[in-house]
Amino acid sequence: MKITVKTLKPRNPLVAACLHRHAGAHRRGTAALRNAAKRELQRELMKERHPCT
């Protein structure tokens, strides 16, 4: 007598990766925010040094 084992339905490997991903608002990284703040500060300082006449 042969023993047959019922196999489970194969799982989709992409679903596990999808469930672990966190969706949300995309924001700039901290380095990009620092660089933007630095550029803005330099722009303001240049305006103060060289006033328009």
Side-chain angles (χ1 to χ4, degrees):
M1 177 190 255
K2 277 190 173 179
I3 299 174
T4 58
V5 178
K6 191 175 177 182
T7 59
L8 296 175
K9 186 176 176 182
R11 291 180 174 254
N12 185 351
L14 300 177
V15 171
C18 182
L19 290 176
H20 290 295
R21 246 180 244 127
H22 295 287
H26 297 282
R27 290 184 273 167
R28 285 183 175 180
T30 55
L33 292 174
R34 278 196 309 272
N35 287 336
K38 185 177 179 182
R39 282 193 304 271
E40 186 179 345
L41 178 63
Q42 290 301 320
R43 230 179 271 127
E44 288 179 15
L45 291 175
M46 288 302 288
K47 283 182 183 178
E48 286 181 11
R49 271 190 220 146
H50 303 289
C52 295
T53 55

